[in-house]
């Protein structure tokens, strides 16, 4: 992008000024190398609506506060593995129904209140309470009872065994909150994390400062101040990076501008993967999608590689089921129904649609969704299928029409929650997919505490979905992060919606 | 004069009430409710019902309207669904960006248009007139957000003179103003183009009137006839146009605030709409409406100042 480079004249001028200043500094006695910066400005495309991850769903909430302000009993590390956090260790009873956690000692919330088993009980009970508005409440439904026999011990009794509980406890929705601060968390988050909330200029930025008495000495924090700036316009985002107003953009909203940053030595730009699975959900409860052959045919009509090229400038990975290559137990099932328009046409004919097929597609306004809709439309036309695109505003209208009223034929959305393959067993859910065999496998997988068995069962679940095609499995959104080259310690992938800044620092 | 003011106040109240009913009804019709927008794709119907109750959305519409109106009258705008903070404070923070931005844009627009329009009118058909006409045509044709992008690329990224976007707040002296300069210019250019045309036409018309000819006959120079006699008398249509434009400026601010990522009223309205933060949208619209009503009142008063003849009529 030529437009973004400063004129060579002013660059040369700046260069000579810098050189002059450098020589002058060298001439001074006792010149020492400047200490590395300890502040960071991070750009995000969307401002979170509130800062309490236990009361609203959007992943952007976690991307600001999870691990930075709020912490959980467990945490998910950069490889997607469960690690201890406020619970330093745990034991699971042989029947898998009782979890006994030993909690960290000497942990304080940012408002000075101590963290102990009673606070943990309060936080977990709040999620499960009858009037709870926790968006992920269902994940924690297996917890039947929480007790705190002593301040350092927390006991969870489950109604059935669960292999995923420790993973779910590491999610943003299950962070530990303190009773006195509970009601104000939306605008004044109080947690146990390395950074405390400092200021929120709505519409512009959230500022965090390093917590002076942070408990975890084993993972020292390097930054003193972190500013999250919200810049939605792709051009403005790139401009802010170039101008040095923003040091990092973990999710650049403009894939078409990403290549320029990859070539620029001032930045580190290595694409990773998020947990955002882009799937074109179909209304399996209604014709024509109640016929499995139609769904399979449409899957074969899609050239995923080409789709990714068009919708996301080639970044991202194709998927064959509702699982990402980040997830443990991932199976590459993109070959089950590979791109084959001839076969697709034949299968449609077999299903009674030899003369073609017409349906509507509710397309949210996000760039990836709009582009996906347009490309799918073209690919379907190749096999005689006419798809009408109906722009449907996200989230409000889309959630109501698709999720709640289930009035749609086909749609597309990126499912953000990690390891959420079990949504296909939810009833009611917008796919309208019903397969007792699938429900059985995911239930068994969820209940299994043996890692190998669980992953094998999840593998089977993936295979069932790949075969049944309740939704067209398209691709995983990439994590198009851009960081100033002198920054290290950031996550390449995003196994949890997060920007964990604990290890981020400037190298000089 | 008192009767005039009372009549204006009653008109103000009626307009306010009418707009409030209109806005509330529209928000009722808009599909998508705030609770589902907040809970996203994995909420259960049970959680949704709990949140709706918590937000007070389960009450009948009439009751919710009266609650809102009652609050408005007593200065309580309610609490934002998404931010969880009082809406009044939220709007004040945003007005602290949008009002200076539009104010600066008006100043710039007038500062460009007045000299340009008058100079063009001094010698119709001359070089200055040609230049002014060209400027006016180009300025009207080009949308303000595009000018904004261009300014970012040239002035902020190319020359590095001003920030590319964002707003540092009013705490740092000078920095706030510097951040508003480019967006204000982006807003001002199309407005100044319109104003240039109106000014030119108005001045040319007045210059042909008898009293200017009389002044010239009595020995006034061209520039004295122009500035002392013609311009003050040509201002009424210019002020009318300016009054109309302020509503457009506020609308244009929505786009320009997005391009420059300024936390102003426009971005607040935009975001609140996406999240269906109905209470915020309702109040933002009321504030916008109030501003427009007040500006119109101000324009009327300004007429009486520049044209004494109107004072007697009022």
């Amino acid at each position: 992008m030529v437009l973004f480079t400063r004129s060579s004249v002013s660059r040369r001028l700046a260069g000579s000024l810098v050189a002059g200043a450098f020589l002058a500094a060298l001439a001074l006695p006792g010149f020492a190398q400047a200490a590395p910066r300890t502040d960071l400005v991070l750009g995000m495309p969307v401002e979170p609506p509130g800062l309490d991850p236990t009361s609203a769903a959007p992943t952007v909430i976690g991307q600001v506060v999870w691990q930075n302000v709020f912490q959980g009993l467990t945490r998910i590390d950069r490889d997607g593995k469960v690690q201890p956090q406020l619970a330093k260790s745990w034991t699971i009873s042989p029947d898998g129904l009782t979890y006994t956690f030993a909690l960290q000692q000497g942990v304080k919330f940012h408002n000075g209140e101590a963290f102990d088993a009673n606070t943990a009980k309060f936080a977990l009970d709040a999620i499960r309470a009858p009037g709870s508005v926790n968006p992920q409440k269902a994940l924690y439904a297996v917890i039947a009872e929480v007790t705190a026999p002593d301040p350092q011990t927390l006991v969870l009794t489950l109604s059935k065994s669960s292999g995923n509980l420790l993973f779910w406890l590491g999610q943003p929705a299950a962070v530990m909150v303190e009773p006195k601060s509970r009601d104000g968390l939306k605008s004044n988050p109080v947690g146990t994390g390395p950074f405390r909330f400092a200021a929120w200029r709505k519409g512009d930025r959230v500022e965090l400062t390093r917590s002076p008495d942070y408990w975890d000495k084993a993972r020292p924090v390097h930054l003193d101040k972190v500013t999250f700036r919200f810049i939605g316009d792709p051009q403005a985002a790139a401009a802010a990076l170039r101008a040095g107003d923003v040091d990092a953009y973990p999710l650049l909203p403009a894939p078409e501008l990403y290549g320029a940053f990859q070539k620029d030595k001032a930045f580190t730009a290595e694409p990773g993967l998020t947990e955002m699975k882009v799937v074109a959900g179909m209304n399996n409860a209604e014709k024509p999608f109640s016929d499995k052959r139609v769904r399979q045919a449409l899957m074969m009509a899609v050239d995923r590689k080409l789709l990714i090229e068009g919708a996301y400038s080639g970044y991202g990975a194709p998927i064959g089921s509702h699982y990402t290559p980040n997830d443990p137990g991932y199976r590459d099932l993109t070959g089950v129904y590979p791109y084959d328009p001839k076969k697709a046409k034949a299968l449609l004919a077999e299903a009674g649609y030899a003369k073609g097929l017409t349906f509507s597609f509710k397309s949210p306004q996000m760039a990836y969704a709009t582009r996906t809709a347009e490309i799918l439309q073209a690919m379907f036309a190749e096999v005689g299928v006419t798809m009408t695109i109906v722009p449907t505003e996200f989230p409000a209208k889309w959630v109501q029409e698709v999720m709640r009223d289930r009035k749609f034929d086909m749609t597309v959305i990126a499912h953000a929650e990690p390891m959420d393959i079990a949504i296909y067993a939810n009833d009611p859910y917008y796919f309208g997919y019903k397969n007792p065999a699938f429900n059985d496998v995911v239930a068994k997988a969820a209940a299994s505490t043996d890692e190998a068995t669980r992953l094998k069962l999840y593998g089977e679940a993936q295979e069932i979905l790949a075969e049944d095609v309740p939704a067209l499995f398209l691709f995983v959104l990439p994590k198009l992060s851009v960081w100033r080259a002198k920054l290290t310690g950031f996550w390449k992938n995003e196994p949890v919606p997060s920007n964990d800044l604990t290890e981020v620092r400037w190298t000089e | 004069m008192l009767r005039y003011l009372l009549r204006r106040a009653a008109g103000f109240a009626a307009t306010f009430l009418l707009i409030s009913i209109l806005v509330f009804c529209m928000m009722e019709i808009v599909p998508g409710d705030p609770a589902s927008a907040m809970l996203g794709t994995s909420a259960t119907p049970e959680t949704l019902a709990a949140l709706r109750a918590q937000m007070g959305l389960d009450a009948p519409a009439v009751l919710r309207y009266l609650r809102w109106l009652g609050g408005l009258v007593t200065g309580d705008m309610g609490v934002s669904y998404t931010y969880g903070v009082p809406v009044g404070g939220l709007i004040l923070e945003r007005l602290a960006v949008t009002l200076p931005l539009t104010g600066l844009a008006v100043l710039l627009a007038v500062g460009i248009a007045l000299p340009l329009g008058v100079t063009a009118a001094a010698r119709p058909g001359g070089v200055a007139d040609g230049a002014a006409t060209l400027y006016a045509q180009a300025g009207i044709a080009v949308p303000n957000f595009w000018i904004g992008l261009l300014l970012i690329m040239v002035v902020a990224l190319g020359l590095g003179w001003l920030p590319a976007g964002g707003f540092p707040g009013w705490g740092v002296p000078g920095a706030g103003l510097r951040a508003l300069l480019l967006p204000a210019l982006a807003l001002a250019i199309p407005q100044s183009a319109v104003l240039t045309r109106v000014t030119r036409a108005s001045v040319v018309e007045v210059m042909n009137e008898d009293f200017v000819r009389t002044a010239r006959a009595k020995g006034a120079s061209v520039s004295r006839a122009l500035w002392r006699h013609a311009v003050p008398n040509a201002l009424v249509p210019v002020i009318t146009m300016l009054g109309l434009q302020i509503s457009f400026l506020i609308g244009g601010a929505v786009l320009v605030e997005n391009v420059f990522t300024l936390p102003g009223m426009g971005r607040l309205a935009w975001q609140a709409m996406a999240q269906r933060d109905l209470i915020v949208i309702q109040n933002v619209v009321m504030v916008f409406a109030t501003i427009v009503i007040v500006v119109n009142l101000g324009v009327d008063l300004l007429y009486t100042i520049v044209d004494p003849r109107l004072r007697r009529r009022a």
Side-chain angles (χ1 to χ4, degrees):
Chain A
M1 290 291 289
V2 179
L3 284 169
F4 281 122
T5 55
R6 287 163 188 244
S7 77
S8 60
V9 177
S10 67
R11 178 177 290 172
R12 224 172 293 150
L13 185 70
S16 54
L17 280 177
V18 169
F22 185 70
L23 287 173
L26 275 183
L28 289 173
F31 171 77
Q33 201 183 348
R37 276 173 63 184
T38 55
D39 67 312
L40 178 76
V41 183
L42 199 105
M44 280 176 52
V46 184
E47 178 176 35
L51 293 175
D52 178 3
T54 68
S55 77
T59 49
V60 284
I61 302 177
Q63 283 167 346
V64 175
V65 296
W66 186 77
Q67 288 309 305
N68 299 323
V69 176
F70 290 112
Q71 298 180 312
L73 290 176
T74 60
R75 75 178 170 94
I76 311 304
D77 68 12
R78 59 176 74 217
D79 301 316
K81 293 211 171 64
V82 177
Q83 302 287 351
Q85 193 161 48
L86 291 174
K88 58 185 171 191
S89 63
W90 49 81
T91 53
I92 304 169
S93 65
D95 61 2
L97 293 179
T98 310
Y99 283 60
T100 308
F101 292 94
L103 304 184
Q104 299 282 358
Q105 301 195 20
V107 176
K108 280 208 164 84
F109 283 92
H110 299 142
N111 63 357
E113 297 293 320
F115 166 79
D116 62 19
N118 280 317
T119 1
K121 176 176 161 51
F122 167 82
L124 293 181
D125 283 345
I127 299 174
R128 307 178 307 121
S132 157
V133 297
N134 191 299
Q136 305 284 14
K137 191 180 175 186
L139 296 183
Y140 309 97
V142 287
I143 304 175
E145 202 194 356
V146 184
T147 51
D150 68 68
Q152 252 56 61
T153 310
L154 184 77
V155 180
L156 303 189
T157 316
L158 310 190
S159 54
K160 57 183 181 203
S161 73
S162 165
N164 296 323
L165 186 67
L166 291 171
F167 187 80
W168 300 138
L169 287 174
Q171 296 296 310
V175 292
M176 291 293 112
V177 298
E178 186 275 324
K180 280 186 200 147
S181 63
R182 181 80 191 84
D183 290 337
L185 290 183
K186 249 185 183 179
S187 56
N188 186 19
V190 171
T192 57
F195 299 100
R196 59 171 65 191
F197 171 74
W200 182 4
R201 260 220 319 276
K202 316 263 176 341
D204 188 45
R205 63 187 66 198
V206 167
E207 288 171 6
L208 309 179
T209 51
R210 190 220 289 251
S211 178
D213 49 0
Y214 180 53
W215 62 273
D216 194 352
K217 308 291 180 234
R219 298 178 76 221
V221 178
H222 308 278
L223 297 170
D224 288 331
K225 187 180 174 195
V226 177
T227 306
F228 290 86
R229 279 195 54 191
F230 311 115
I231 305 176
D233 185 82
Q235 295 290 344
L241 272 169
R242 300 263 180 216
D245 296 342
V246 167
D247 302 311
Y249 234 101
L251 289 166
L252 194 76
E256 58 281 3
L257 300 178
Y258 195 66
F261 285 104
Q262 286 183 296
K263 286 187 203 108
D264 192 331
K265 285 205 168 60
F267 297 98
T268 307
E270 290 170 36
L273 288 179
T274 66
E275 278 294 313
M276 310 269 275
K277 298 156 281 272
V278 180
V279 304
M282 290 169 279
N283 194 343
N284 288 237
E286 313 257 342
K287 272 187 168 181
F289 303 112
S290 47
D291 189 332
K292 187 156 96 174
R293 290 170 298 183
V294 173
R295 306 195 303 259
Q296 291 166 336
L298 291 180
M299 189 74 258
M300 285 192 285
V302 177
D303 182 347
R304 295 183 185 93
K305 272 243 160 67
L306 195 64
L307 174 71
I308 297 171
E309 199 58 53
Y312 233 87
S313 299
Y315 303 102
I319 48 172
S321 175
H322 200 87
Y323 235 63
T324 81
N326 276 348
D327 301 328
Y330 169 76
R331 290 197 190 173
D332 182 357
L333 297 167
T334 47
V336 176
Y337 291 107
Y339 177 57
D340 193 339
K342 260 197 204 129
K343 258 195 193 161
K345 240 178 157 167
L347 198 57
L348 278 176
E350 197 190 307
Y353 297 99
K355 283 186 184 153
L357 174 63
T358 304
F359 60 86
S360 75
F361 185 98
K362 292 205 166 160
S363 167
Q365 77 279 21
M366 289 81 81
Y368 74 84
T370 318
R371 290 180 198 165
T372 299
E374 285 160 3
I375 297 165
L376 287 182
Q377 188 180 43
M379 287 174 177
F380 291 159
E382 295 282 307
V383 297
V385 169
T386 312
M387 181 176 106
T388 326
I389 298 175
V390 184
T392 308
E393 178 232 12
F394 186 88
K397 194 162 184 254
W398 188 91
V399 170
Q400 177 163 322
E401 291 183 359
V402 176
M403 296 285 305
R404 229 171 59 184
D405 303 341
R406 292 186 287 286
K407 273 195 206 134
F408 75 107
D409 294 334
M410 188 188 274
T411 185
V412 71
I413 201 72
H415 279 265
E417 282 74 25
M419 300 283 287
D420 60 346
I421 191 169
I423 56 173
Y424 293 87
N426 288 1
D427 192 16
Y429 202 58
Y430 78 103
F431 303 119
Y433 172 66
K434 288 187 179 62
N435 183 345
F438 175 80
N439 296 5
D440 191 46
V441 171
V442 286
K444 270 190 195 146
S448 164
T449 45
D450 175 58
E451 182 80 3
T453 317
R454 198 169 86 245
L455 295 186
K456 191 178 143 278
L457 288 165
Y458 275 128
E460 282 172 33
Q462 291 171 58
E463 276 166 15
I464 295 175
L465 290 188
E467 163 72 24
D468 270 3
V469 203
L472 303 179
F473 301 107
L474 304 174
F475 62 101
V476 186
L477 284 184
K479 182 176 162 85
L480 295 183
S481 56
V482 179
W483 295 77
R484 292 233 153 251
K486 283 169 186 161
L487 281 160
T488 61
F490 42 86
W491 291 18
K492 187 183 170 201
N493 295 316
E494 191 175 79
V496 190
S498 69
N499 286 303
D500 184 342
L501 299 174
T502 316
E503 289 162 15
V504 173
R505 64 191 177 89
W506 293 89
T507 52
E508 60 180 77
Chain B
M1 192 70 185
L2 187 70
R3 259 189 62 197
Y4 171 73
L5 282 179
L6 277 175
R7 211 173 58 227
R8 292 304 295 249
F12 184 93
T15 315
F16 194 83
L17 204 66
L18 194 72
I19 294 173
S20 75
I21 294 173
L22 218 68
V23 174
F24 188 84
C25 290
M26 271 187 325
M27 288 302 109
E28 289 298 299
I29 299 166
V30 169
D33 89 303
S36 12
M38 275 176 74
L39 287 175
T41 50
S42 31
T44 59
E46 180 214 346
T47 323
L48 201 65
L51 185 62
R52 286 180 63 84
Q54 196 184 310
M55 292 163 104
L57 284 169
D58 47 354
V62 178
L63 193 65
R64 278 183 289 122
Y65 172 72
L66 290 177
R67 269 187 208 153
W68 173 52
L69 195 69
L72 264 188
V73 174
T74 55
D76 174 16
M77 292 183 162
V79 175
S80 156
Y81 296 151
T82 51
Y83 284 129
V85 295
V87 179
L90 209 57
I91 288 182
L92 276 183
E93 271 174 38
R94 301 306 185 95
L95 279 178
V97 177
T98 299
L99 287 186
L101 173 67
T102 37
L104 195 59
V106 169
L107 282 183
L108 286 172
V110 173
I112 296 169
L114 222 51
L116 207 58
V118 174
T119 318
R123 281 194 57 201
V127 180
D129 194 20
T133 308
L134 199 68
Y135 172 78
Q137 266 167 356
I140 291 167
V142 178
N144 50 27
F145 69 89
W146 190 82
I147 298 177
L149 279 175
L150 205 68
L151 286 173
I152 289 179
M153 285 178 182
V154 176
V155 183
L157 291 174
L159 301 167
W161 288 348
L162 288 166
F167 187 70
W170 291 110
V172 195
L177 202 64
R178 271 169 58 85
L180 291 188
L181 213 54
L182 286 187
L185 197 60
L187 268 177
I189 287 174
Q191 307 301 326
S192 71
V194 178
L195 275 183
T196 303
R197 285 201 150 179
V198 174
T199 309
R200 182 196 171 275
S202 179
V203 173
V204 165
E205 201 188 309
V206 176
M207 282 294 272
N208 288 326
E209 287 199 22
D210 292 343
F211 70 93
V212 178
R213 218 169 294 149
T214 311
R216 285 284 284 142
K218 284 167 79 181
S221 67
V222 175
S223 80
R224 187 177 157 79
L226 194 68
W227 289 103
R228 181 70 191 83
H229 298 279
V231 170
N233 285 292
L235 278 182
V236 169
V238 177
I239 290 169
T240 309
M241 192 34 109
L242 201 61
L244 286 174
Q245 280 188 335
I246 287 176
S247 340
F248 281 109
L249 275 179
I250 291 173
V254 178
L255 289 172
V256 169
E257 280 169 10
N258 260 326
V259 171
F260 285 91
T261 55
L262 294 175
M265 290 285 278
R267 285 237 299 169
L268 180 66
W270 186 277
Q271 235 172 346
M273 197 62 205
Q275 285 294 334
R276 290 295 189 277
D277 199 339
L278 306 180
I279 190 89
V280 170
I281 305 169
Q282 286 165 205
N283 289 308
V284 165
V285 174
M286 292 320 290
V287 170
F288 276 151
T290 309
I291 291 175
V292 171
I293 296 173
V294 169
V295 164
N296 278 325
L297 204 65
V299 167
D300 285 359
L301 290 177
L302 216 57
Y303 285 158
T304 60
I305 293 170
V306 297
D307 192 342
R309 282 171 298 175
L310 293 171
R311 215 171 300 162
R312 264 167 272 134
R313 256 181 263 163

